[in-house]
Amino acid sequence: MNLPRSLGELRSSQFSEERVSQRRVKDELRENLVAKLEQNTTIFPGIVGYDDTVVPQIVNAILSRHNFILLGLRGQAKSRILRALATLLDPELPYIAGCEIHDNPYAPICRRCREEVARLGDNTPIAYLIPEHRYVEKLATPDVTIADLIGDIDPIKAARGGHELSSELTVHYGLLPRANRGIFAINELPDLAGKIQVGLFNIMQEGDVQIKGYPIRLPLDVALVFSANPEDYTARGKIITPLKDRIGSEIRTHYPATVDEGIAITTQEAWMQRNGHRLEVPKYVREVIERIAFAAREDKKIDKRSGISQRLPISCMENVISNAERRAIKSGEEMVVPRVSDIYAALPAITGKLELEYEGEMKGADAVGRELIRTAVAKTFDQYFSGVNMQQVVQWFDLGGEIKLAESVSSKEVFNSLKNIQGLADKLEALGITNKVAVEAQVSAAEFVLEGLYAHKRIGRSEERVFTAGEKQPARRPEKSFDRDDPFPGGRGGGRRTYN
Ligand SMILES: [Zn+2]
């Protein structure tokens, strides 16, 4: 690309003074967004499940030229969205070469550049920024200082150099000035000390700030975006009111609304395309993994305020595949087909993402994790087998049948013993599994059915993964009008209806 390299060349190019001198970052974001809207292209590729909720609100905020904040729990793609804003920036942005704060060639704010333009005129060298270099991100912590964020001043150096203290020449720029003419994102805004929030507000409002008591003029051009946990943000006193006032839009993010949306995100984010073995993750395994997060978000033993990150199903999926991969490598199988037992083996990828309440702490993270998997298996099982008669399979166990399905054992080894369970193979059709598909897939499906029956307590399973008969139900007493399997006594199956 032949981009102009001097101020003189710049004037007669597409980057004319008329076009560039007054164009601020928020104008640029807005213009490029409008172009995308006109072309009807995806605004944020790779952001799943926000098309009707979060994305339109972000679009409105940018069209309004607002600074905005994303409020949401952990793992709701907040950082990802903020980073995606860089895709709305121009491919190249001219600035005065060598300037630490990327001064506008037609309107420099730092003294160095003003002096350079005065000295060199149209020969002032020009450089360019690409969008990635115009996005600066900072995680707020209580120990972030004005020096980190805005800059520092060296009074001794200033005195020796004969500069006035308010001269920008003596400022060591912090992150925010270095993001000049770009996007500056602060994550977890409420963790920023009040004093720093005041500094931030002053920059946004007046373009000046005090450093060590000296007023410094810095009319920066920055699009400021933030993220925060909603409870922290709305807590009284966490955010100074004038700063809150200057944040134009508050946008709430959320977890995937459906299991399918969750699966789409996990499939996109998890590392699944591995070299070597052919991998086939059954749909029910994907669903179980996703439902673990859904179950955890509803579980009273888990802290609601910190949320259950979408990273839980993502890490879980990676670990599940690895466990299946390990089995395939050790037993010389060609195909990697994860099973429900691989999900239980992936507990280390689950427990770390749960913030437990007192009751959960008492039970222990592993027990809570296993319970979540069992709940997820039960719900997924119902999806495929609700109303399907499993009596034949259950009976096989009731008559003393036992089968060990260790997660480390090869599919071929267990395949024949699974065949002994009468009626089991027919049930697999509901999962799209016939005797024509790979043995690995058949074993995984059969195990899912047994795990489903175990999750519903219709059969038993030991620590050593031996499936057996379930605990005997107390004998039904004839005088009892209903049992817990029948929530509508006399109300179902027409013929048995009673009228009292
Ligand atoms: Zn400059």
Side-chain angles (χ1 to χ4, degrees):
M1 267 249 231
N2 275 336
L3 293 165
R5 290 292 160 191
S6 71
L7 183 55
E9 285 173 33
L10 198 71
R11 287 185 198 285
S12 53
S13 73
Q14 50 166 321
F15 304 106
S16 64
E17 180 160 5
E18 193 199 357
R19 176 158 168 74
V20 173
S21 68
Q22 299 299 319
R23 190 174 188 242
R24 297 178 66 82
V25 179
K26 285 177 187 161
D27 299 315
E28 181 185 337
L29 290 171
R30 186 188 140 85
E31 270 176 40
N32 292 329
L33 176 61
V34 167
K36 273 198 169 188
L37 289 172
E38 280 168 355
Q39 291 154 16
N40 210 5
T41 51
T42 313
I43 312 282
F44 300 118
I47 304 286
V48 179
Y50 282 171
D51 289 353
D52 303 322
T53 52
V54 179
V55 171
Q57 296 185 355
I58 294 175
V59 167
N60 293 348
I62 296 170
L63 291 180
S64 310
R65 300 192 304 184
H66 280 173
N67 299 308
F68 65 89
I69 184 162
L70 297 180
L71 296 180
L73 300 175
R74 288 194 294 169
Q76 293 185 343
K78 298 191 294 295
S79 309
R80 197 190 176 105
I81 293 172
L82 296 183
R83 278 175 211 145
L85 294 173
T87 60
L88 296 174
L89 293 169
D90 290 348
E92 297 96 11
L93 179 83
Y95 71 99
I96 297 178
C99 178
E100 285 181 284
I101 58 171
H102 312 123
D103 258 327
N104 187 325
Y106 302 111
I109 58 172
C110 86
R111 175 174 291 194
R112 170 203 172 269
C113 291
R114 285 200 302 268
E115 286 174 359
E116 183 147 299
V117 171
R119 192 161 50 88
L120 299 173
D122 276 359
N123 291 325
T124 304
I126 299 297
Y128 294 85
L129 280 172
I130 56 169
E132 295 87 280
H133 294 161
R134 299 173 61 195
Y135 177 81
V136 179
E137 189 177 80
K138 176 76 183 158
L139 175 67
T141 52
D143 60 351
V144 170
T145 62
I146 286 277
D148 297 331
L149 207 58
I150 294 163
D152 206 359
I153 196 164
D154 182 350
I156 297 168
K157 196 173 147 200
R160 201 165 46 218
H163 307 298
E164 290 170 38
L165 273 172
S166 63
S167 146
E168 304 88 344
L169 257 187
T170 57
V171 177
H172 306 281
Y173 294 115
L175 281 169
L176 183 61
R178 286 174 195 279
N180 189 31
R181 303 179 75 214
I183 300 166
F184 189 63
I186 300 181
N187 290 315
E188 305 306 334
L189 179 65
D191 287 345
L192 218 52
K195 200 169 79 175
I196 316 299
Q197 293 184 27
V198 172
L200 205 56
F201 163 71
N202 285 335
I203 287 273
M204 287 163 82
Q205 178 71 10
E206 311 289 350
D208 52 30
V209 67
Q210 288 204 350
I211 299 176
K212 288 185 176 158
Y214 299 106
I216 303 289
R217 188 145 173 76
L218 273 179
L220 299 175
D221 171 20
V222 184
L224 279 162
V225 289
F226 309 96
S227 76
N229 180 309
E231 278 200 25
D232 290 347
Y233 185 72
T234 50
R236 201 180 169 83
K238 283 275 190 132
I239 305 280
I240 61 159
T241 310
L243 179 61
K244 218 173 204 173
D245 251 10
R246 293 290 295 175
I247 299 175
S249 297
E250 269 178 35
I251 299 163
R252 301 225 168 208
T253 57
H254 54 83
Y255 287 123
T258 63
V259 169
D260 282 342
E261 274 177 10
I263 289 175
I265 298 171
T266 300
T267 305
Q268 174 183 287
E269 301 299 318
W271 182 50
M272 295 170 70
Q273 298 307 315
R274 306 185 179 187
N275 50 353
H277 291 68
R278 195 150 73 84
L279 170 72
E280 201 178 288
V281 185
K283 182 135 192 289
Y284 52 84
V285 168
R286 295 175 192 267
E287 289 165 344
V288 171
I289 291 173
E290 221 53 53
R291 285 203 174 93
I292 295 170
F294 277 76
R297 285 169 197 145
E298 287 174 358
D299 197 311
K300 282 199 202 73
K301 293 185 286 304
I302 295 161
D303 181 10
K304 293 273 173 304
R305 285 154 299 175
S306 52
I308 302 295
S309 167
Q310 190 60 27
R311 284 181 280 271
L312 184 150
I314 293 167
S315 319
C316 181
M317 174 65 84
E318 289 171 341
N319 230 339
V320 164
I321 292 171
S322 298
N323 200 59
E325 203 178 17
R326 191 167 58 90
R327 173 176 59 244
I329 294 167
K330 283 174 86 173
S331 52
E333 290 181 329
E334 279 182 16
M335 226 167 111
V336 175
V337 183
R339 306 174 187 166
V340 171
S341 51
D342 296 322
I343 303 177
Y344 281 98
L347 264 185
I350 297 173
T351 50
K353 310 221 166 31
L354 308 174
E355 297 276 358
L356 298 177
E357 296 280 13
Y358 180 75
E359 196 194 337
E361 295 278 6
M362 289 299 104
K363 284 199 102 161
D366 275 17
V368 172
R370 265 194 286 274
E371 223 171 69
L372 291 173
I373 298 172
R374 191 166 167 167
T375 306
V377 169
K379 283 200 172 158
T380 307
F381 180 84
D382 291 345
Q383 195 89 358
Y384 292 95
F385 298 107
S386 155
V388 175
N389 188 344
M390 287 284 175
Q391 201 46 44
Q392 202 184 358
V393 177
V394 173
Q395 209 160 38
W396 186 84
F397 289 98
D398 282 345
L399 293 172
E402 274 190 13
I403 184 166
K404 181 168 178 165
L405 285 180
E407 39 94 8
S408 56
V409 174
S410 82
S411 303
K412 289 197 180 66
E413 242 171 279
V414 287
F415 184 61
N416 285 325
S417 43
L418 276 167
K419 272 187 179 168
N420 294 333
I421 308 175
Q422 282 107 36
L424 179 56
D426 305 340
K427 304 297 180 208
L428 307 187
E429 279 169 27
L431 303 167
I433 298 290
T434 63
N435 57 9
K436 306 248 179 343
V437 305
V439 169
E440 292 90 339
Q442 289 189 55
V443 170
S444 169
E447 195 223 44
F448 170 59
V449 172
L450 299 186
E451 284 285 351
L453 293 172
Y454 162 68
H456 282 299
K457 300 185 176 166
R458 298 191 56 191
I459 62 175
R461 196 195 72 198
S462 71
E463 292 269 314
E464 292 75 34
R465 300 199 51 76
V466 178
F467 288 90
T468 58
E471 279 173 45
K472 288 281 162 285
Q473 307 281 333
R476 294 182 184 193
R477 291 196 214 125
E479 67 269 23
K480 211 174 166 193
S481 61
F482 62 91
D483 61 53
R484 66 185 174 86
D485 290 337
D486 191 358
F488 310 105
R492 283 190 305 194
R496 282 191 287 129
R497 190 167 306 196
T498 52
Y499 300 92
N500 296 325

